[in-house]
């Protein structure tokens, strides 16, 4: 074993241990992502069958100009219900949204609540106008009067996006609730809702499908990193054992250095002249 206590082998062992430690940490991080995405998928599945809860139980009230603080990730896909009336004068068209390979628009309509604030409701998707994107798409109007909306909470989308007037409507590429709220004349709740297909105003539009998170990808990465960590240690152990056997065989045959002697610490007079 003394033959493995050289500077070279001690360096190899240290590097292998450090690399394995880093790969274990990377595996744990991927595992945490797997657990997070699995929890999101569970909430998505549950949201299709659970009884909706009042939106006030999930989203904080909006009391001032702009958007209220958004909820945490745990609120995503919670099925909620609320009552109000649609404000069709402030509808937002979210462009560049794809359904079945066709790029179209999602129709976002503010729902005015009893306290004077509004909840953004994504009523569904429509294809572009036959005459092209320079013309506003055709879509059914939201019903007038008091309606009860049922749908799933969608957190505000990340990434800055402008909100501009086009063809008589507000348009944007991203559903950034704070950015949209700045254009509206009333306070807005901090997330929006994907309306169920049978909720008033959603008829005649294509319901927005909720895609599942690819949690298996993170699980695969986690296992992969842990295999790499174990493989690094096993590989070093194999090479060390092989080197030790070769040195012992050479010492026994008298053709190599003493395996108990560190060549790096051998005295100068021990070197055989050329």
């Amino acid at each position: 074993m003394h033959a493995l206590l050289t500077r070279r082998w001690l360096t190899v062992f240290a590097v292998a241990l450090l690399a394995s430690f880093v790969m274990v940490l990377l595996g744990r991080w991927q595992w945490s992502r797997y657990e997070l995405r699995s929890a999101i998928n569970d909430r998505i599945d549950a949201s299709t069958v659970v009884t909706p809860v009042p939106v006030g139980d999930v989203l904080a009230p909006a009391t001032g100009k702009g958007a209220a603080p958004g909820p945490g990730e745990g609120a995503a896909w919670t099925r909620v219900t609320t009552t109000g009336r649609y404000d069709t004068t402030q509808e937002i068209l979210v462009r560049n949204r794809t359904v079945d390979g066709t790029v179209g628009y999602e129709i976002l309509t503010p729902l005015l609540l009893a306290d004077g604030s509004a909840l953004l409701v994504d009523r569904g998707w429509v294809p572009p106008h036959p005459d092209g994107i320079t013309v506003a798409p055709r879509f059914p109007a939201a019903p007038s009067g008091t309606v009860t909306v049922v749908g799933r909470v969608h957190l505000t989308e990340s990434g800055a996006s402008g909100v501009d007037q086009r063809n008589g409507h507000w348009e944007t590429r991203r559903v950034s609730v704070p950015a949209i709220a700045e254009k509206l004349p009333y306070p807005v709740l901090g997330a929006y809702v994907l309306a169920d297909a049978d909720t008033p105003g959603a008829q005649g539009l294509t319901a927005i499908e909720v895609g599942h998170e690819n949690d298996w990808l993170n699980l695969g990465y986690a296992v992969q990193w842990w295999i790499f960590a174990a493989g690094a240690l096993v590989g070093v152990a194999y090479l060390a054992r092989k080197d030790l056997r070769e040195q012992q065989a050479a010492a026994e045959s008298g053709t190599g250095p003493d395996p108990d002697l560190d060549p790096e610490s051998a005295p100068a007079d021990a070197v055989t002249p050329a």
Side-chain angles (χ1 to χ4, degrees), residues 19-75:
S20 294
F21 178 72
V22 171
M23 287 185 281
V24 168
L25 292 182
L26 289 171
R28 290 186 61 183
W29 178 75
Q30 288 290 351
W31 180 263
S32 68
R33 295 294 300 169
Y34 164 71
E35 291 183 320
L36 175 62
R37 288 186 164 186
S38 294
I40 291 173
N41 288 339
D42 290 342
R43 289 200 301 272
I44 291 173
D45 293 337
S47 68
T48 62
V49 295
V50 298
T51 301
V53 299
V55 72
D57 293 353
V58 181
L59 302 182
T63 57
K65 184 70 171 68
E73 289 190 1

Side-chain angles (χ1 to χ4, degrees), residues 98-157:
T98 303
V99 171
D100 294 332
T102 301
V103 179
Y105 298 81
E106 291 180 24
I107 310 302
L108 211 63
T109 309
L111 183 75
L112 299 178
L113 308 179
D115 63 0
S117 64
L119 170 67
L120 298 177
V121 177
D122 191 329
R123 296 194 288 127
W125 178 91
V126 292
H129 193 280
D131 294 336
I133 61 174
T134 59
V135 182
R138 299 167 179 165
F139 57 90
S144 59
T146 301
V147 296
T148 297
V149 171
V150 178
R152 288 178 279 183
V153 171
H154 196 305
L155 303 184
T156 186
E157 295 180 347

Side-chain angles (χ1 to χ4, degrees), residues 162-187:
V163 182
D164 306 301
Q165 278 278 354
R166 295 185 182 181
N167 302 317
H169 295 90
W170 291 112
E171 281 196 19
T172 184
R173 293 186 63 182
R174 306 285 294 170
V175 186
S176 171
V177 175
I180 294 173
E182 289 299 321
K183 304 295 185 179
L184 302 181
Y186 30 69

